[in-house]
């Protein structure tokens, strides 16, 4: 789950990472109140989950209440790369001497945490990586031993952070690492991490992505869940308790088991098609879940064909078939279904489908995954 900047900063503050005093606001008058409390000058910052807000006009400096009214009025409701601004974050403006970059992620291949640190912050790190890859220090951290102040300082030296900022940077790195691990983040990024003319080091931006698998030990994440920006399809799927991820292809996919769903995406790609989604209806899926899954797929206007790939273990073929028949009665599917039904009670399932009198144009059955994928992709191209 991705956090907005203001949530990321509030999260940072819990781990003692220095951020500017400020607060969120949803209206112009609220913005003025927060600005007064933060102390002028302030920056008014659009809260959208997309980079480059500054260039898009979503970050403005304000010296008094009238300027806050002007900028908050312009920014609230603004469209930034397809994201409409509903909230701004107002904070006391900082004087900047230098801008750095710091982040922690998980390097799955190395089975270790990865620190990336650069003295060239404030711009896209991808840009730095392309222009001057040596300007980014990459340090693997063993999760068992963690990160101590001395190692963090060495990273700051290696990244050519000037001597006067090294201790401040090292101290923030240790705190950011705690935030990343104890706070269960997938990503904790500060860009820019600034050095003020007074010598203090400080987080000016926050990009935090939380690891959903750890949600059970963070009841406090519920407040982030409430503001989460989900794709409308993903929202619907969540309401139905389905494991769904929206993609941008044309073949809607339903499979039982995450592994089979992933293989189904691969096979659809292999035969020249594109998947509209990942959807795992799970082991032991019943008729109701199948009907719900079809409703979610049908909601996606890009879907031109639906590939149902079931290998029944705990999931029983006749339940799957009943779900399809029920869904066809409940919703008017815009796209034809191709089904590959195998495993437990597959015969019974196919019998139910045959006897339901569904026309060929709405449902065809194929004996193998590959044949079914080919048929679904062909239908999607019509
Ligand atoms: P992003 O472009 O969406 O990542 O937004 P950031 O929060 O990183 O801000 C972009 C840029 O705006 C920063 O790199 C700074 O140059 C500038 N900026 C943001 N806040 C302040 C501030 O308090 N004072 C000053 N002087 N510049 C700021
Ligand atoms: Mn930034």
């Amino acid at each position: 789950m991705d956090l907005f900047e203001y949530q990321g900063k509030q999260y940072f503050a819990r781990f003692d990472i220095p951020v500017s005093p400020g607060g969120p606001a949803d209206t112009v008058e609220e913005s003025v109140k927060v600005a007064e409390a933060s102390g002028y000058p302030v920056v008014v910052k659009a809260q959208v989950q997309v980079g480059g807000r500054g260039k898009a006009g979503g970050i403005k400096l304000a010296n008094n209440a009238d300027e806050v009214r002007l900028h908050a009025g312009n920014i609230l409701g603004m469209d930034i790369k397809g994201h409409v601004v509903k909230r701004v974050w107002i904070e006391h403006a900082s004087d900047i001497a230098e801008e750095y970059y710091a982040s922690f992620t998980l390097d799955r291949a190395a089975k270790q945490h990865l620190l990336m640190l650069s003295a060239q912050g404030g711009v896209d790190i991808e840009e730095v990586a392309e222009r001057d890859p040596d300007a980014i220090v990459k340090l693997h951290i063993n999760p068992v031993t963690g990160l101590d102040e001395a190692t963090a300082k060495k990273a700051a030296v290696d990244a050519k952070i000037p001597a006067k900022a090294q201790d401040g940077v090292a101290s923030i790195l240790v705190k950011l690492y705690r935030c990343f691990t104890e706070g269960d983040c997938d990503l904790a990024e500060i860009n820019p991490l600034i050095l003020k003319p007074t010598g203090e080091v400080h987080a000016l931006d926050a990009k935090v992505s939380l690891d959903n698998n750890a949600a059970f030990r963070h009841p406090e994440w519920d407040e982030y869940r409430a503001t989460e920006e989900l794709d409308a399809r993903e929202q619907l799927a969540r309401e139905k308790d389905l494991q769904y991820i929206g993609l941008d292809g044309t073949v809607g996919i339903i499979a039982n088991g995450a592994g089979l769903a992933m293989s189904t995406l691969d096979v659809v790609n292999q035969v020249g098609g594109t998947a509209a989604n990942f959807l795992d209806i799970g082991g032991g899926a019943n008729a109701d879940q199948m009907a719900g899954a079809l409703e979610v797929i049908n909601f996606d206007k890009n879907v031109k064909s639906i590939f149902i790939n079931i290998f029944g273990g705990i999931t029983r073929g006749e339940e799957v078939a009943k779900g399809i028949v029920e869904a066809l009665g409940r919703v008017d599917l815009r796209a034809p279904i191709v089904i590959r039904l195998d495993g437990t009670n597959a015969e019974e399932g196919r019998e139910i489908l045959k006897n339901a009198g569904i026309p060929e144009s709405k449902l065809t059955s194929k004996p193998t995954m590959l044949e079914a994928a080919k048929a679904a992709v062909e239908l999607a191209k019509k």
Side-chain angles (χ1 to χ4, degrees):
M1 175 168 50
D2 297 332
L3 299 189
F4 289 97
E5 175 197 6
Y6 74 94
Q7 296 169 327
K9 281 184 168 164
Q10 290 165 346
Y11 210 60
F12 281 175
R14 288 174 33 189
F15 295 90
D16 287 330
I17 296 166
V19 293
S20 307
D26 296 344
T27 64
V28 170
E29 282 317 306
E30 227 182 302
S31 303
V32 173
K33 264 190 214 144
V34 178
E36 308 274 321
S38 310
Y40 292 109
V42 295
V43 271
V44 182
K45 305 180 79 175
Q47 296 303 290
V48 282
Q49 290 175 355
V50 60
R53 292 169 298 165
K55 276 185 208 149
I59 300 180
K60 294 282 182 198
L61 191 79
N63 291 298
N64 52 53
D66 282 343
E67 288 183 14
V68 171
R69 281 193 192 93
L70 172 71
H71 295 313
N74 287 336
I75 293 174
L76 285 164
M78 181 184 272
D79 187 306
I80 301 182
K81 299 177 188 167
H83 298 248
V84 177
V85 182
K86 299 192 200 95
R87 185 166 281 181
V88 289
W89 167 260
I90 315 254
E91 69 178 28
H92 182 66
S94 305
D95 286 330
I96 304 176
E98 296 191 10
E99 298 186 306
Y100 313 131
Y101 172 96
S103 72
F104 289 99
T105 48
L106 173 67
D107 183 342
R108 285 170 203 280
K111 299 193 177 82
Q112 297 203 314
H113 294 143
L114 181 68
L115 160 69
M116 287 202 271
L117 181 66
S118 177
Q120 299 183 24
V123 289
D124 271 353
I125 196 66
E126 289 83 4
E127 214 175 277
V128 180
E130 211 162 285
R131 171 165 43 80
D132 191 1
D134 293 339
I136 305 170
V137 163
K138 294 183 181 176
L139 178 70
H140 281 103
I141 298 152
N142 183 332
V144 177
T145 47
L147 177 69
D148 60 26
E149 203 98 20
T151 310
K153 178 146 181 192
K154 186 174 177 302
V157 172
D158 291 346
K160 301 193 176 68
I161 303 252
K164 60 180 182 295
Q166 285 166 5
D167 286 335
V169 167
S171 152
I172 288 187
L173 289 180
V174 170
K175 289 170 181 166
L176 187 63
Y177 186 68
R178 260 195 65 213
C179 172
F180 176 74
T181 50
E182 289 171 33
D184 286 308
C185 303
D186 279 333
L187 167 74
E189 181 190 79
I190 306 177
N191 187 25
L193 175 65
I194 59 160
L195 171 69
K196 295 190 197 175
T198 47
E200 297 144 275
V201 181
H202 182 109
L204 206 66
D205 193 8
K207 195 163 165 192
V208 172
S209 185
L210 301 171
D211 177 359
N212 281 326
N213 296 306
F216 69 94
R217 57 179 167 232
H218 294 282
E220 80 280 12
W221 288 2
D222 284 354
E223 66 168 287
Y224 304 140
R225 189 86 57 210
T227 56
E228 198 180 2
E229 290 199 319
L230 288 179
D231 182 302
R233 301 173 296 172
E234 292 178 346
Q235 188 72 50
L236 184 64
R238 179 171 290 179
E239 283 160 21
K240 295 182 185 296
D241 250 335
L242 293 164
Q243 299 299 319
Y244 175 97
I245 294 166
L247 303 169
D248 45 22
T250 56
V251 180
I253 286 172
I254 299 175
N256 65 318
L260 185 62
M262 296 289 271
S263 315
T264 309
L265 299 193
D266 286 346
V267 173
V268 164
N269 275 308
Q270 188 193 323
V271 299
T274 54
N277 65 278
F278 166 97
L279 200 168
D280 164 21
I281 51 165
N286 58 28
D288 201 44
Q289 282 161 305
M290 177 53 84
L294 281 166
E295 277 177 48
V296 172
I297 301 262
N298 197 47
F299 179 71
D300 183 344
K301 302 267 181 297
N302 289 332
V303 167
K304 298 284 181 292
S305 69
I306 303 169
F307 179 7
I308 302 179
N309 190 9
I310 305 292
F311 190 92
I314 318 169
T315 306
R316 288 157 38 188
E318 80 274 20
E319 282 289 325
V320 170
K322 276 188 221 159
I324 294 171
V325 174
E326 194 183 313
L328 287 172
R330 228 200 270 177
V331 285
D332 190 14
L333 292 184
R334 288 177 293 103
I337 297 174
V338 178
I339 185 168
R340 175 258 187 162
L341 184 55
D342 211 338
T344 309
N345 294 358
E347 282 301 326
E348 288 85 338
R350 281 190 221 111
E351 202 58 30
I352 290 171
L353 290 175
K354 207 193 288 169
N355 295 337
I358 306 164
E360 263 296 304
S361 62
K362 290 206 158 175
L363 182 119
T364 46
S365 183
K366 295 286 176 191
T368 68
M369 179 155 151
L370 187 61
E371 283 170 83
K374 281 181 183 158
V377 169
E378 203 165 299
L379 283 169
K381 284 184 174 163
K382 266 188 191 163

mmCIF file of all heavy atoms in Angstrom, residues 5 9 20 43 45 50-55 59 61 91-96 99 121-123 191-192 204-206, ligand 1:
data_model
loop_
_atom_site.group_PDB
_atom_site.id
_atom_site.type_symbol
_atom_site.label_atom_id
_atom_site.label_comp_id
_atom_site.label_asym_id
_atom_site.label_seq_id
_atom_site.Cartn_x
_atom_site.Cartn_y
_atom_site.Cartn_z
ATOM 1 N N GLU A 5 2.458 11.589 0.598
ATOM 2 C CA GLU A 5 3.606 12.238 1.245
ATOM 3 C C GLU A 5 3.304 12.584 2.709
ATOM 4 O O GLU A 5 4.123 12.335 3.595
ATOM 5 C CB GLU A 5 3.966 13.520 0.487
ATOM 6 C CG GLU A 5 5.067 14.317 1.179
ATOM 7 C CD GLU A 5 5.141 15.765 0.693
ATOM 8 O OE1 GLU A 5 4.274 16.182 -0.099
ATOM 9 O OE2 GLU A 5 6.055 16.472 1.134
ATOM 10 N N LYS A 9 5.326 11.259 5.914
ATOM 11 C CA LYS A 9 6.021 12.139 6.859
ATOM 12 C C LYS A 9 5.553 11.875 8.288
ATOM 13 O O LYS A 9 6.349 11.900 9.228
ATOM 14 C CB LYS A 9 5.790 13.597 6.488
ATOM 15 C CG LYS A 9 6.686 14.013 5.338
ATOM 16 C CD LYS A 9 6.544 15.473 5.005
ATOM 17 C CE LYS A 9 7.672 15.873 4.059
ATOM 18 N NZ LYS A 9 7.402 17.154 3.397
ATOM 19 N N SER A 20 9.494 18.803 8.505
ATOM 20 C CA SER A 20 9.068 20.171 8.812
ATOM 21 C C SER A 20 7.719 20.157 9.511
ATOM 22 O O SER A 20 6.881 19.311 9.215
ATOM 23 C CB SER A 20 8.936 20.982 7.526
ATOM 24 O OG SER A 20 10.117 20.913 6.778
ATOM 25 N N VAL A 43 5.241 25.987 2.322
ATOM 26 C CA VAL A 43 5.046 25.398 0.992
ATOM 27 C C VAL A 43 3.702 24.680 0.990
ATOM 28 O O VAL A 43 3.333 24.030 1.967
ATOM 29 C CB VAL A 43 6.156 24.397 0.562
ATOM 30 C CG1 VAL A 43 7.296 25.089 -0.135
ATOM 31 C CG2 VAL A 43 6.656 23.608 1.725
ATOM 32 N N LYS A 45 1.703 21.815 -0.888
ATOM 33 C CA LYS A 45 2.088 20.676 -1.731
ATOM 34 C C LYS A 45 0.901 19.762 -2.045
ATOM 35 O O LYS A 45 0.230 19.263 -1.139
ATOM 36 C CB LYS A 45 3.180 19.854 -1.020
ATOM 37 C CG LYS A 45 4.404 20.694 -0.626
ATOM 38 C CD LYS A 45 5.476 19.860 0.065
ATOM 39 C CE LYS A 45 6.297 19.071 -0.939
ATOM 40 N NZ LYS A 45 7.420 18.351 -0.263
ATOM 41 N N VAL A 50 2.113 10.548 -7.333
ATOM 42 C CA VAL A 50 2.820 10.574 -8.607
ATOM 43 C C VAL A 50 3.968 11.575 -8.447
ATOM 44 O O VAL A 50 3.833 12.561 -7.709
ATOM 45 C CB VAL A 50 1.838 10.947 -9.746
ATOM 46 C CG1 VAL A 50 1.212 12.303 -9.526
ATOM 47 C CG2 VAL A 50 2.494 10.912 -11.107
ATOM 48 N N GLY A 51 5.085 11.291 -9.094
ATOM 49 C CA GLY A 51 6.253 12.165 -8.944
ATOM 50 C C GLY A 51 6.151 13.413 -9.827
ATOM 51 O O GLY A 51 5.223 13.562 -10.609
ATOM 52 N N GLY A 52 7.121 14.303 -9.663
ATOM 53 C CA GLY A 52 7.179 15.498 -10.501
ATOM 54 C C GLY A 52 6.060 16.488 -10.244
ATOM 55 O O GLY A 52 5.597 17.173 -11.146
ATOM 56 N N ARG A 53 5.633 16.564 -8.990
ATOM 57 C CA ARG A 53 4.533 17.476 -8.663
ATOM 58 C C ARG A 53 4.951 18.925 -8.856
ATOM 59 O O ARG A 53 4.155 19.763 -9.259
ATOM 60 C CB ARG A 53 4.094 17.260 -7.204
ATOM 61 C CG ARG A 53 3.442 15.926 -6.977
ATOM 62 C CD ARG A 53 3.286 15.664 -5.500
ATOM 63 N NE ARG A 53 4.588 15.622 -4.826
ATOM 64 C CZ ARG A 53 4.751 15.695 -3.515
ATOM 65 N NH1 ARG A 53 3.702 15.824 -2.730
ATOM 66 N NH2 ARG A 53 5.946 15.628 -2.984
ATOM 67 N N GLY A 54 6.218 19.205 -8.518
ATOM 68 C CA GLY A 54 6.719 20.570 -8.625
ATOM 69 C C GLY A 54 6.575 21.111 -10.037
ATOM 70 O O GLY A 54 5.998 22.178 -10.250
ATOM 71 N N LYS A 55 7.077 20.346 -10.993
ATOM 72 C CA LYS A 55 7.033 20.768 -12.400
ATOM 73 C C LYS A 55 5.613 20.970 -12.882
ATOM 74 O O LYS A 55 5.342 21.800 -13.740
ATOM 75 C CB LYS A 55 7.734 19.719 -13.282
ATOM 76 C CG LYS A 55 9.238 19.901 -13.330
ATOM 77 C CD LYS A 55 9.854 18.900 -14.318
ATOM 78 C CE LYS A 55 11.290 18.568 -13.907
ATOM 79 N NZ LYS A 55 11.679 17.205 -14.283
ATOM 80 N N ILE A 59 3.438 22.344 -6.366
ATOM 81 C CA ILE A 59 4.178 22.747 -5.159
ATOM 82 C C ILE A 59 4.473 24.242 -5.252
ATOM 83 O O ILE A 59 5.115 24.695 -6.200
ATOM 84 C CB ILE A 59 5.511 21.965 -5.024
ATOM 85 C CG1 ILE A 59 5.229 20.463 -4.927
ATOM 86 C CG2 ILE A 59 6.306 22.451 -3.812
ATOM 87 C CD1 ILE A 59 6.458 19.596 -4.788
ATOM 88 N N LEU A 61 5.319 28.065 -3.035
ATOM 89 C CA LEU A 61 5.730 28.773 -1.825
ATOM 90 C C LEU A 61 4.733 29.892 -1.531
ATOM 91 O O LEU A 61 4.294 30.587 -2.449
ATOM 92 C CB LEU A 61 7.126 29.363 -2.068
ATOM 93 C CG LEU A 61 7.834 29.921 -0.841
ATOM 94 C CD1 LEU A 61 8.430 28.777 -0.017
ATOM 95 C CD2 LEU A 61 8.936 30.895 -1.245
ATOM 96 N N GLU A 91 3.533 22.944 4.878
ATOM 97 C CA GLU A 91 4.566 22.898 5.916
ATOM 98 C C GLU A 91 5.419 24.149 5.877
ATOM 99 O O GLU A 91 5.466 24.859 4.859
ATOM 100 C CB GLU A 91 5.431 21.633 5.780
ATOM 101 C CG GLU A 91 6.320 21.601 4.558
ATOM 102 C CD GLU A 91 7.195 20.347 4.498
ATOM 103 O OE1 GLU A 91 6.809 19.299 5.042
ATOM 104 O OE2 GLU A 91 8.285 20.439 3.899
ATOM 105 N N HIS A 92 6.056 24.406 6.988
ATOM 106 C CA HIS A 92 6.983 25.533 7.072
ATOM 107 C C HIS A 92 8.074 25.330 6.022
ATOM 108 O O HIS A 92 8.662 24.242 5.939
ATOM 109 C CB HIS A 92 7.586 25.602 8.478
ATOM 110 C CG HIS A 92 8.511 26.757 8.648
ATOM 111 N ND1 HIS A 92 8.081 28.067 8.608
ATOM 112 C CD2 HIS A 92 9.856 26.801 8.813
ATOM 113 C CE1 HIS A 92 9.112 28.869 8.757
ATOM 114 N NE2 HIS A 92 10.206 28.127 8.894
ATOM 115 N N ALA A 93 8.322 26.336 5.212
ATOM 116 C CA ALA A 93 9.308 26.198 4.133
ATOM 117 C C ALA A 93 10.718 26.116 4.703
ATOM 118 O O ALA A 93 11.042 26.776 5.685
ATOM 119 C CB ALA A 93 9.200 27.381 3.177
ATOM 120 N N SER A 94 11.528 25.278 4.054
ATOM 121 C CA SER A 94 12.914 25.100 4.508
ATOM 122 C C SER A 94 13.861 25.839 3.588
ATOM 123 O O SER A 94 13.627 25.932 2.387
ATOM 124 C CB SER A 94 13.286 23.615 4.462
ATOM 125 O OG SER A 94 12.367 22.850 5.196
ATOM 126 N N ASP A 95 14.945 26.345 4.160
ATOM 127 C CA ASP A 95 16.049 26.848 3.337
ATOM 128 C C ASP A 95 16.906 25.648 2.978
ATOM 129 O O ASP A 95 17.215 24.820 3.842
ATOM 130 C CB ASP A 95 16.886 27.862 4.125
ATOM 131 C CG ASP A 95 16.144 29.182 4.263
ATOM 132 O OD1 ASP A 95 15.352 29.506 3.352
ATOM 133 O OD2 ASP A 95 16.340 29.866 5.287
ATOM 134 N N ILE A 96 17.254 25.568 1.716
ATOM 135 C CA ILE A 96 17.990 24.386 1.253
ATOM 136 C C ILE A 96 19.410 24.762 0.837
ATOM 137 O O ILE A 96 19.603 25.640 -0.001
ATOM 138 C CB ILE A 96 17.277 23.748 0.035
ATOM 139 C CG1 ILE A 96 15.824 23.407 0.397
ATOM 140 C CG2 ILE A 96 18.020 22.515 -0.434
ATOM 141 C CD1 ILE A 96 15.012 22.869 -0.770
ATOM 142 N N GLU A 99 20.734 19.043 -1.696
ATOM 143 C CA GLU A 99 19.696 18.012 -1.764
ATOM 144 C C GLU A 99 20.329 16.639 -2.028
ATOM 145 O O GLU A 99 21.085 16.480 -2.981
ATOM 146 C CB GLU A 99 18.684 18.330 -2.884
ATOM 147 C CG GLU A 99 17.938 19.639 -2.677
ATOM 148 C CD GLU A 99 16.845 19.866 -3.719
ATOM 149 O OE1 GLU A 99 17.146 19.807 -4.920
ATOM 150 O OE2 GLU A 99 15.688 20.089 -3.322
ATOM 151 N N GLY A 121 20.491 14.540 -5.022
ATOM 152 C CA GLY A 121 19.060 14.305 -4.810
ATOM 153 C C GLY A 121 18.218 15.401 -5.413
ATOM 154 O O GLY A 121 18.727 16.295 -6.073
ATOM 155 N N GLY A 122 16.911 15.299 -5.183
ATOM 156 C CA GLY A 122 15.992 16.315 -5.663
ATOM 157 C C GLY A 122 15.510 16.058 -7.077
ATOM 158 O O GLY A 122 14.482 16.576 -7.485
ATOM 159 N N VAL A 123 16.249 15.241 -7.824
ATOM 160 C CA VAL A 123 15.814 14.855 -9.166
ATOM 161 C C VAL A 123 15.460 13.366 -9.135
ATOM 162 O O VAL A 123 15.743 12.687 -8.153
ATOM 163 C CB VAL A 123 16.924 15.101 -10.216
ATOM 164 C CG1 VAL A 123 17.115 16.580 -10.441
ATOM 165 C CG2 VAL A 123 18.233 14.460 -9.786
ATOM 166 N N ASN A 191 13.518 11.905 -0.848
ATOM 167 C CA ASN A 191 14.085 12.601 -2.002
ATOM 168 C C ASN A 191 13.357 13.917 -2.230
ATOM 169 O O ASN A 191 12.258 13.905 -2.748
ATOM 170 C CB ASN A 191 13.997 11.726 -3.255
ATOM 171 C CG ASN A 191 14.728 12.361 -4.428
ATOM 172 O OD1 ASN A 191 15.639 13.161 -4.231
ATOM 173 N ND2 ASN A 191 14.319 12.012 -5.630
ATOM 174 N N PRO A 192 13.905 15.025 -1.843
ATOM 175 C CA PRO A 192 15.262 15.196 -1.330
ATOM 176 C C PRO A 192 15.359 15.091 0.186
ATOM 177 O O PRO A 192 14.448 15.456 0.906
ATOM 178 C CB PRO A 192 15.601 16.626 -1.758
ATOM 179 C CG PRO A 192 14.290 17.339 -1.716
ATOM 180 C CD PRO A 192 13.255 16.312 -2.093
ATOM 181 N N LEU A 204 12.636 16.274 3.273
ATOM 182 C CA LEU A 204 11.737 17.258 2.654
ATOM 183 C C LEU A 204 10.599 16.578 1.903
ATOM 184 O O LEU A 204 9.594 17.202 1.588
ATOM 185 C CB LEU A 204 12.522 18.160 1.708
ATOM 186 C CG LEU A 204 11.914 19.536 1.487
ATOM 187 C CD1 LEU A 204 11.953 20.351 2.770
ATOM 188 C CD2 LEU A 204 12.627 20.281 0.377
ATOM 189 N N ASP A 205 10.777 15.301 1.581
ATOM 190 C CA ASP A 205 9.726 14.559 0.894
ATOM 191 C C ASP A 205 9.724 13.153 1.491
ATOM 192 O O ASP A 205 10.694 12.753 2.136
ATOM 193 C CB ASP A 205 10.012 14.519 -0.623
ATOM 194 C CG ASP A 205 8.819 14.034 -1.439
ATOM 195 O OD1 ASP A 205 7.720 13.862 -0.868
ATOM 196 O OD2 ASP A 205 8.987 13.811 -2.663
ATOM 197 N N ALA A 206 8.630 12.413 1.282
ATOM 198 C CA ALA A 206 8.530 11.061 1.828
ATOM 199 C C ALA A 206 7.801 10.174 0.845
ATOM 200 O O ALA A 206 6.725 10.531 0.370
ATOM 201 C CB ALA A 206 7.754 11.084 3.147
HETATM 202 P P1 LIG B 1 8.260 15.857 -5.998
HETATM 203 O O1 LIG B 1 8.878 16.668 -7.099
HETATM 204 O O2 LIG B 1 6.851 15.476 -6.333
HETATM 205 O O3 LIG B 1 9.079 14.685 -5.601
HETATM 206 O O4 LIG B 1 8.156 16.848 -4.716
HETATM 207 P P2 LIG B 1 9.225 17.209 -3.575
HETATM 208 O O5 LIG B 1 8.561 17.233 -2.293
HETATM 209 O O6 LIG B 1 10.425 16.339 -3.685
HETATM 210 O O7 LIG B 1 9.631 18.686 -3.939
HETATM 211 C C1 LIG B 1 10.211 19.013 -5.189
HETATM 212 C C2 LIG B 1 11.168 20.168 -5.043
HETATM 213 O O8 LIG B 1 10.497 21.315 -4.538
HETATM 214 C C3 LIG B 1 12.284 19.892 -4.059
HETATM 215 O O9 LIG B 1 13.343 19.171 -4.626
HETATM 216 C C4 LIG B 1 12.678 21.301 -3.666
HETATM 217 O O10 LIG B 1 13.597 21.816 -4.609
HETATM 218 C C5 LIG B 1 11.374 22.088 -3.768
HETATM 219 N N1 LIG B 1 10.851 22.280 -2.396
HETATM 220 C C6 LIG B 1 9.966 21.508 -1.710
HETATM 221 N N2 LIG B 1 9.780 21.948 -0.449
HETATM 222 C C7 LIG B 1 10.586 23.033 -0.309
HETATM 223 C C8 LIG B 1 10.895 23.923 0.765
HETATM 224 O O11 LIG B 1 10.401 23.808 1.900
HETATM 225 N N3 LIG B 1 11.773 24.935 0.509
HETATM 226 C C9 LIG B 1 12.364 25.086 -0.706
HETATM 227 N N4 LIG B 1 13.231 26.078 -0.852
HETATM 228 N N5 LIG B 1 12.123 24.270 -1.739
HETATM 229 C C10 LIG B 1 11.253 23.256 -1.545
#
